[in-house]
Amino acid sequence: MSDSSEALETSPAPKRRGILLVVDDEEGPRMSLKVIFKDTYDMLMAEDGLKAIELAQQHDIDVAILDIRMAGMSGIEVLERLRMVRPDLEAIMITAFETTDTIRQALRLRACDYINKPFDIATIRSAVGQAMQRRVSESEIHNSAEKVHELLAELQNQRVEEQIAKTRGDIYASIIHDINGPLTVISGFVQLLNKKLTADEKLEPEGVEFVKERLRIIERQVGNCIEISRRYLGFLHRQTDSSAQHAGVNQLLRDLEQLVRVHPSLQDNEFKLTPFVGDINVRINGIDLIQILLNLAVNAFQCTPVPHCVEIGGEVLAAPLNLALFKDGPNDRLLNVESMENTVPMVKLWVRDTGPGIPSEILPKIFDRFFTTKGSSQGTGLGLNIVQRLIKEGRGALHVHTQRNEGTTFTIYLPGTNLLK
Ligand SMILES: Nc1ncnc2c1ncn2[C@@H]1O[C@H](COP(=O)(O)OP(=O)(O)OP(=O)(O)O)[C@@H](O)[C@H]1O
Ligand SMILES: [Mg+2]
């Protein structure tokens, strides 16, 4: 028992016997063909065209031997009909009366061989054998092609799975990176409250107000953390909250200012934020825009330990960007042009610093994942990568201009909507 099942597993799948159809209205030749081939192939016998077609509908015939001259439907007509049911079968025509016209018709119907009656056994054996071999080769090619297709599909699936896993990894990394900002703020305020509550045994009304104000900021930052993770995880589950896709830019700038003013990287640096003269809705999720600007601002603060100035501002553009004016070079790079929606109104926002600038040799790398010059304990090298991705999702573009010893400006262009009064 175990021997036979092993044999089944290891030996190649048994080849099926070919199916041979004989169509002849005379019994004599039918019978002699049956005798010749019955031990080699599965035989189907038809005395007329109708029976032949019926059999072809029921069986996957490999080779058909057809007599041309038959009462009723001729062999040529039968072949024509058989081709409709089994377009790939091999046909061998047999006749006693050969005319060029019937040969031509048979060839048109892709008959592979043409044998005269009376036939000798060797000739018919060789003709059928060759036809069967062609069928086997064809079906092997077909099976191989199918296998290649299956393999390709499997490979594609694997790639998709890998892509999903990579996206998942990216998203978790992004959550950790982006939540870090609000968490730093929260932890700073908790320390501050701790100090205050330890120092003042009894809180005066201003003290209570001080605590309440800090608690409100903490609450807001906790809300931000939740919103950030919800957004990223929502993306992971292919959900997008379309209602959150429009945001008034000046309210966002006010929220951002609150975050920046208490951010530890502010230190002794100067920070200026100028709101838009007229407000506008920007077509991007508000939390995304805050994350973009906060990442850029934190980078700007951290670009040198020497106190310097960081400025955030913006304006509404009434004309699309003239992309011909942007040239990538040692001091400039423009990103996301291919996916940007270059329409009006366009919201332009910049984050400018008076730091040391970005060396031209590292400028092409700063948007790469995990590229950092800050050392692994200080930076993950994810900030600008996230910035670029969020701007891309918002169908915007990003330009960086830098000048050694003068500073760097990151400019964001995003589609806007509905100018508010
Ligand atoms: N305003 C800037 N001035 C000078 N260099 C900059 C500035 N912004 C970014 N860079 C350079 O680009 C690199 C990549 O920035 P990115 O924000 O991606 O990562 P990071 O700031 O190093 O780490 P993380 O954002 O995770 O804290 C920085 O390490 C820095 O070398
Ligand atoms: Mg950064």
Side-chain angles (χ1 to χ4, degrees):
M1 174 75 188
S2 71
D3 278 351
S4 63
S5 63
E6 211 168 84
L8 266 181
E9 273 164 32
T10 48
S11 58
K15 280 189 182 160
R16 76 172 172 92
R17 271 161 55 111
I19 302 179
L20 176 64
L21 168 71
V22 174
V23 193
D24 199 323
D25 57 347
E26 287 175 71
E27 197 174 1
R30 257 201 335 266
M31 284 306 113
S32 51
L33 286 168
K34 189 168 185 175
V35 171
I36 297 170
F37 292 113
K38 71 176 180 356
D39 294 334
T40 324
Y41 307 117
D42 290 339
M43 303 289 298
L44 298 169
M45 313 305 290
E47 63 284 358
D48 58 33
L50 285 178
K51 177 75 185 166
I53 290 152
E54 195 187 313
L55 287 170
Q57 280 160 348
Q58 293 159 2
H59 305 272
D60 185 10
I61 294 163
D62 294 296
V63 180
I65 301 176
L66 300 121
D67 187 17
I68 289 192
R69 290 236 163 180
M70 286 192 291
M73 235 186 274
S74 78
I76 298 285
E77 278 172 279
V78 179
L79 179 55
E80 197 160 14
R81 300 231 192 146
L82 282 181
R83 281 261 172 264
M84 291 176 200
V85 189
R86 300 274 166 210
D88 298 325
L89 65 68
E90 296 278 329
I92 297 167
M93 310 306 289
I94 295 182
T95 187
F97 315 94
E98 196 180 331
T99 69
T100 44
D101 195 38
T102 49
I103 292 175
R104 199 176 301 127
Q105 280 178 316
L107 286 177
R108 187 175 54 77
L109 291 167
R110 289 180 286 121
C112 65
D113 225 325
Y114 199 95
I115 292 172
N116 286 318
K117 252 182 188 174
F119 46 79
D120 64 83
I121 297 179
T123 311
I124 191 90
R125 260 193 199 286
S126 142
V128 174
Q130 282 173 19
M132 283 287 178
Q133 191 49 52
R134 273 197 297 277
R135 279 283 292 179
V136 170
S137 312
E138 259 167 35
S139 78
E140 273 169 7
I141 290 169
H142 182 79
N143 287 345
S144 308
E146 252 176 21
K147 264 203 195 105
V148 169
H149 265 113
E150 271 168 29
L151 280 175
L152 279 176
E154 207 172 287
L155 206 67
Q156 181 67 16
N157 276 345
Q158 214 164 312
R159 281 210 192 114
V160 169
E161 301 244 310
E162 269 169 23
Q163 195 56 42
I164 289 171
K166 189 169 166 283
T167 312
R168 200 179 288 265
D170 276 0
I171 286 171
Y172 292 148
S174 303
I175 295 174
I176 292 162
H177 183 276
D178 288 359
I179 277 181
N180 211 26
L183 279 183
T184 321
V185 176
I186 292 168
S187 128
F189 273 101
V190 169
Q191 277 173 26
L192 201 72
L193 288 179
N194 224 349
K195 252 192 220 158
K196 175 98 186 150
L197 293 172
T198 324
D200 305 351
E201 282 188 351
K202 211 161 154 247
L203 283 180
E204 298 302 319
E206 319 88 70
V208 173
E209 209 30 62
F210 174 93
V211 172
K212 274 191 183 162
E213 179 57 31
R214 286 351 175 241
L215 282 175
R216 265 196 292 276
I217 297 176
I218 289 175
E219 202 180 345
R220 209 178 168 118
Q221 294 310 320
V222 170
N224 269 347
C225 286
I226 294 169
E227 173 69 13
I228 289 164
S229 49
R230 200 174 280 155
R231 285 264 309 142
Y232 278 120
L233 294 174
F235 174 78
L236 201 59
H237 294 117
R238 302 273 177 272
Q239 296 161 353
T240 43
D241 183 1
S242 55
S243 64
Q245 294 302 321
H246 297 258
V249 80
N250 274 338
Q251 178 57 48
L252 292 175
L253 289 180
R254 279 192 289 275
D255 290 351
L256 173 75
E257 185 164 23
Q258 265 205 358
L259 275 175
V260 174
R261 292 271 172 226
V262 295
H263 202 281
S265 62
L266 178 64
Q267 299 202 347
D268 294 331
N269 299 307
E270 194 186 337
F271 176 59
K272 276 190 233 163
L273 188 142
T274 321
F276 277 55
V277 176
D279 206 353
I280 185 169
N281 272 357
V282 65
R283 262 198 281 147
I284 187 171
N285 177 281
I287 292 285
D288 285 357
L289 185 55
I290 290 180
Q291 287 313 119
I292 292 168
L293 294 171
L294 187 63
N295 269 315
L296 294 175
V298 170
N299 277 352
F301 288 127
Q302 291 176 342
C303 68
T304 168
V306 181
H308 58 285
C309 177
V310 175
E311 203 187 323
I312 296 181
E315 64 185 0
V316 178
L317 301 184
L321 286 192
N322 180 357
L323 296 170
L325 297 179
F326 294 86
K327 291 258 179 307
D328 281 359
N331 301 322
D332 290 85
R333 283 208 70 193
L334 180 66
L335 291 106
N336 295 353
V337 195
E338 327 72 44
S339 53
M340 92 172 288
E341 216 175 281
N342 196 1
T343 49
V344 287
M346 172 92 68
V347 178
K348 176 179 177 184
L349 281 154
W350 57 82
V351 179
R352 187 173 292 152
D353 66 66
T354 54
I358 304 173
S360 55
E361 60 277 14
I362 72 158
L363 186 63
K365 298 186 203 147
I366 59 170
F367 293 95
D368 291 353
R369 256 155 51 98
F370 307 125
F371 177 81
T372 180
T373 53
K374 295 177 187 165
S376 56
S377 58
Q378 282 236 317
T380 62
L382 279 173
L384 286 179
N385 192 265
I386 293 172
V387 164
Q388 185 191 354
R389 186 170 51 72
L390 292 178
I391 293 175
K392 192 172 195 170
E393 280 167 21
R395 314 282 302 221
L398 171 64
H399 178 240
V400 47
H401 173 74
T402 188
Q403 202 72 47
R404 284 318 290 272
N405 302 322
E406 284 183 21
T408 304
T409 304
F410 284 85
T411 310
I412 301 160
Y413 298 94
L414 283 165
T417 45
N418 310 334
L419 267 171
L420 304 174
K421 1 161 221 44

